[in-house]
Amino acid sequence: MIDYRIKKSEKFSEKIGELVSMLEHTRAVTLEEINRLTQEDLDYLVDEGSNTIGSLLIHIASIEFVHQVISFEGRDINGVELQKWQAALELGEQARYQIKKNNIEYYLNELAKVRKQTLIQLKERTDEWLFEEKYWEKGVPYNNYYLWFHVFEDEINHRGQIRAIKRILAQN
């Protein structure tokens, strides 16, 4: 059953525990949304310019991975990492060509592997780490809290797309 409370956790500092609660709630709702999908559902294209549910799921994992690298390692992804995640990060034509013919377990495993690393790393961080200020190019400020807010914000956005695709599938 999905828990509809944002709460603290003894495993994490106070604010990070709340953030983890939001990340985990977001993921639980996403998993509930996709748990009965077939490979055909995951590969369905609404039109030639759309993304599949499968590609959206790997995109969710890729965004979380990139935010791990940026926030935990203080760097951008390297060439090897980009090669692995590029289609998922960019979506579009390359994703339509490369991300297909996988069953639901594949996507669940990818999401779980990335999330496991996130939780391991967040256990080692403090609330002060969340608020550490850094700067993008051209002096635009950001902090780690924003980066991790963006992870679940992005997932929620793409879950909306997944729901729209599922409605179209139900009509066919």
Side-chain angles (χ1 to χ4, degrees):
M1 180 188 302
I2 296 174
D3 193 340
Y4 289 93
R5 298 171 294 165
I6 304 301
K7 53 187 178 172
K8 301 174 189 174
S9 170
E10 293 177 14
K11 298 176 186 177
F12 303 94
S13 64
E14 182 177 0
K15 293 284 184 200
I16 289 178
E18 292 169 2
L19 176 66
V20 167
S21 180
M22 290 182 260
L23 286 164
E24 292 291 84
H25 171 78
T26 300
R27 181 58 48 84
V29 175
T30 299
L31 295 178
E32 181 65 28
E33 195 68 41
I34 64 169
N35 68 359
R36 292 177 209 81
L37 297 178
T38 66
Q39 180 188 329
E40 293 76 24
D41 297 337
L42 294 162
D43 289 345
Y44 179 75
L45 279 170
V46 173
D47 58 46
E48 63 186 40
S50 65
N51 294 298
T52 65
I53 292 173
S55 64
L56 293 170
L57 293 171
I58 291 300
H59 175 77
I60 290 167
S62 73
I63 291 295
E64 186 165 344
F65 175 79
V66 168
H67 284 69
Q68 287 173 356
V69 171
I70 294 168
S71 67
F72 300 144
E73 298 179 33
R75 64 177 179 86
D76 204 349
I77 60 173
N78 62 37
V80 172
E81 294 161 339
L82 180 60
Q83 187 174 15
K84 176 181 178 179
W85 294 106
Q86 188 166 15
L89 286 167
E90 296 175 358
L91 293 171
E93 186 176 344
Q94 189 177 7
R96 285 188 291 279
Y97 178 74
Q98 290 181 6
I99 304 169
K100 58 186 175 182
K101 298 185 180 175
N102 299 302
N103 61 28
I104 191 66
E105 287 77 22
Y106 168 79
Y107 298 104
L108 295 174
N109 287 334
E110 289 297 311
L111 289 163
K113 280 191 305 191
V114 173
R115 179 53 54 87
K116 180 179 178 183
Q117 286 305 308
T118 295
L119 298 177
I120 288 169
Q121 290 293 325
L122 286 174
K123 283 181 188 174
E124 299 176 8
R125 303 302 189 273
T126 64
D127 289 347
E128 292 75 27
W129 173 85
L130 284 174
F131 295 99
E132 286 178 7
E133 285 202 14
K134 300 171 187 168
Y135 296 89
W136 296 116
E137 292 180 17
K138 299 183 182 180
V140 176
Y142 72 94
N143 61 24
N144 293 313
Y145 216 152
Y146 170 78
L147 291 176
W148 288 98
F149 161 76
H150 179 67
V151 169
F152 67 83
E153 171 196 39
D154 188 74
E155 182 166 338
I156 292 166
N157 176 51
H158 293 301
R159 188 172 63 231
Q161 292 176 297
I162 290 167
R163 286 178 174 158
I165 295 168
K166 284 179 61 181
R167 281 192 298 275
I168 293 168
L169 277 167
Q171 295 171 357
N172 292 338

